[in-house]
Amino acid sequence: MEVPFNNLEISFLANQDEYEQAALRVLRSGWYILGKEVENFEKEFAKFTSSRFSVGVASGLDALIMALRAAGIKQGDEVLVQGNTYIATFMGITINSATPVMVEPDEYYNIDAERLEEKITDRTKAILVTHLYGQASNMGRIVEIAKKYNLQIIEDCAQSHGAEWSGKMTGSFGKFGCFSFYPSKNLGAFGDAGAITTDSEELTQQIKILRNYGSEQRYHNKVVGYNSRLDEIQAAFLVVKLKYLSRLTQERRKIAEYYLGNIKNEKIILPKIRKGASHVWHLFVVRTEKRDNFMEYLKSNNIGSVIHYPIPPHLSEAYEYLGLKKGSLPITEKYAKTVLSLPLYNGMTDQEMGYVVETINKY
Ligand SMILES: *Cc1c(COP(=O)(O)O)cnc(C)c1O
């Protein structure tokens, strides 16, 4: 048997007619940028995330860049961020010329709230929280600390569509929630796409200006902005996908529960869920000492797997200038050497799940 790491075609085929109709509707409308499809998606997505507003943008990275800029993050400011996040989170900070200050992750792979205070200085302006792999971060503590030190919270929700902390949606805790709809995300478009959520009408307007060359009214440019709009056709696809998202999340949870209940191998460390957090299983990440050997073993048994992420941002060439040496973030670096994501996708069959478990238990 062969089990790929992911298969995006299955979810397309499951609702093929609706996606094709949505595409045709947009193609035949004669209107392709910032029209009623985007407006409709923004309304639906705000409702889904329990935010007052959402603004569609071109990607998750752009969402981060514009959210931090609208939050006033600039050169000289420090932003607390977990060391083991995807590098785009860092880029959202550094493209705004601000300084990322790395905090080690906890055992749930999210930012360790108990290590935040030791990193706060008088330059600290914000905490950029990534709900990594689909599990909500420890928002109770994070909100408490942010209040105490008067810091803004911005959430990177690129992996956490629908995940909650204490029954409250990720993306609704901070000043902004930043979402990606890259095809493989839990809510995936058919190309690049993203969104920002917020409860502030004024900030909504600021983001709308930023995404459109800094203009509210055509040819009247208030600030130097970006071209970062959500396409009409992607918005139309996303409205279809969003209708099915809770069902798709349920299915991901069933696969994760099956893995949690049936993988039994003392060499493999399974993921845990924090009390109070919900998990939407964007990724099912295990850890093992001889990770590369385990990955090779899976491959020789025709099972796909991916490392999220092999090089932590502070050790990447792009961030050499921060001057952080190997060993400066031991937990982050240990995770980078030992994590591996197992196949988990919508449409995965019982046979495929069974084969993955059986193969791992024999390792
Ligand atoms: C995917 C991802 C991003 C970037 O999203 P794009 O749409 O690819 O730009 C940012 N942060 C995290 C945590 C991600 O997983």
Side-chain angles (χ1 to χ4, degrees):
M1 181 178 286
E2 199 166 325
V3 185
F5 174 68
N6 201 352
N7 183 334
L8 299 179
E9 200 184 359
I10 300 173
S11 330
F12 163 65
L13 292 173
N15 302 102
Q16 182 172 1
D17 278 354
E18 279 183 271
Y19 290 123
E20 291 181 354
Q21 278 165 27
L24 277 178
R25 182 176 72 240
V26 176
L27 288 172
R28 289 171 179 171
S29 73
W31 193 280
Y32 309 113
I33 297 279
L34 296 184
K36 56 181 194 287
E37 302 287 348
V38 168
E39 257 173 49
N40 182 29
F41 173 70
E42 288 175 339
K43 241 182 253 147
E44 293 297 321
F45 194 64
K47 212 185 299 166
F48 171 76
T49 55
S50 310
S51 298
R52 284 185 65 210
F53 306 99
S54 100
V55 183
V57 299
S59 73
L61 174 59
D62 281 3
L64 290 160
I65 293 169
M66 292 189 282
L68 268 80
R69 179 156 159 202
I73 304 298
K74 57 185 188 314
Q75 188 154 24
D77 294 343
E78 292 177 355
V79 179
L80 301 176
V81 61
Q82 72 204 67
N84 63 328
T85 186
Y86 180 53
I87 199 161
T89 320
F90 269 55
M91 291 183 178
I93 300 167
T94 59
I95 289 173
N96 281 295
S97 309
T99 306
V101 174
M102 280 133 270
V103 179
E104 292 268 46
D106 58 25
E107 59 190 307
Y108 306 94
Y109 307 116
N110 281 324
I111 198 165
D112 189 343
E114 301 314 325
R115 292 170 185 260
L116 283 169
E117 286 190 278
E118 65 197 59
K119 300 280 185 168
I120 294 172
T121 71
D122 51 9
R123 295 179 157 213
T124 312
K125 292 286 150 56
I127 311 172
L128 179 48
V129 182
T130 306
H131 306 290
L132 198 69
Y133 305 150
Q135 176 165 202
S137 304
N138 187 3
M139 293 314 292
R141 277 296 281 148
I142 293 169
V143 168
E144 224 172 78
I145 293 163
K147 279 203 180 118
K148 182 170 165 193
Y149 293 90
N150 195 25
L151 305 176
Q152 309 189 56
I153 293 174
I154 295 162
E155 299 173 76
D156 182 340
C157 305
Q159 305 190 357
S160 73
H161 316 77
E164 295 170 333
W165 169 261
S166 250
K168 186 171 159 56
M169 275 284 185
T170 53
S172 70
F173 283 89
K175 193 163 232 175
F176 293 110
C178 303
F179 289 83
S180 165
F181 308 122
Y182 181 79
S184 64
K185 308 288 186 186
N186 286 26
L187 178 64
F190 295 88
D192 276 310
I196 297 174
T197 53
T198 177
D199 282 336
S200 157
E201 197 163 359
E202 192 197 323
L203 292 174
T204 300
Q205 199 48 32
Q206 268 194 52
I207 299 289
K208 284 187 173 173
I209 290 170
L210 281 177
R211 76 172 168 186
N212 198 22
Y213 301 112
S215 71
E216 202 163 5
Q217 193 192 343
R218 196 177 254 188
Y219 308 129
H220 293 258
N221 303 76
K222 293 186 164 174
V223 291
V224 179
Y226 311 86
N227 172 355
S228 181
R229 301 164 300 217
L230 173 63
D231 283 333
E232 284 284 281
I233 200 161
Q234 298 300 343
F237 292 143
L238 286 164
V239 169
V240 175
K241 192 84 150 291
L242 186 57
K243 282 197 301 184
Y244 299 109
L245 185 58
S246 49
R247 197 187 302 164
L248 294 169
T249 302
Q250 278 313 108
E251 196 190 337
R252 300 184 88 90
R253 286 190 172 132
K254 268 180 55 191
I255 300 166
E257 273 160 30
Y258 180 78
Y259 280 166
L260 289 173
N262 292 283
I263 295 176
K264 292 194 165 69
N265 184 327
E266 57 187 28
K267 293 194 199 77
I268 307 298
I269 301 169
L270 294 170
K272 287 180 295 201
I273 305 180
R274 184 196 299 278
K275 203 163 165 278
S278 81
H279 204 318
V280 294
W281 300 103
H282 173 58
L283 295 168
F284 191 96
V285 177
V286 300
R287 269 194 301 131
T288 187
E289 277 309 313
K290 295 186 176 152
R291 190 265 318 278
D292 295 347
N293 175 287
F294 178 53
M295 193 175 184
E296 203 44 53
Y297 167 80
L298 291 176
K299 193 175 161 206
S300 67
N301 285 284
N302 301 313
I303 296 172
S305 62
V306 176
I307 304 167
H308 296 95
Y309 299 94
I311 304 171
H314 73 285
L315 297 182
S316 70
E317 202 182 329
Y319 287 114
E320 244 170 33
Y321 74 90
L322 292 173
L324 286 153
K325 296 274 169 312
K326 233 183 212 165
S328 54
L329 293 172
I331 301 172
T332 296
E333 292 169 33
K334 180 176 82 182
Y335 286 172
K337 284 203 191 91
T338 53
V339 290
L340 192 68
S341 307
L342 302 181
L344 191 162
Y345 49 86
N346 291 111
M348 199 173 180
T349 65
D350 291 350
Q351 286 79 0
E352 289 168 332
M353 284 152 52
Y355 177 66
V356 172
V357 166
E358 189 189 311
T359 306
I360 292 176
N361 289 351
K362 278 194 276 192
Y363 171 65

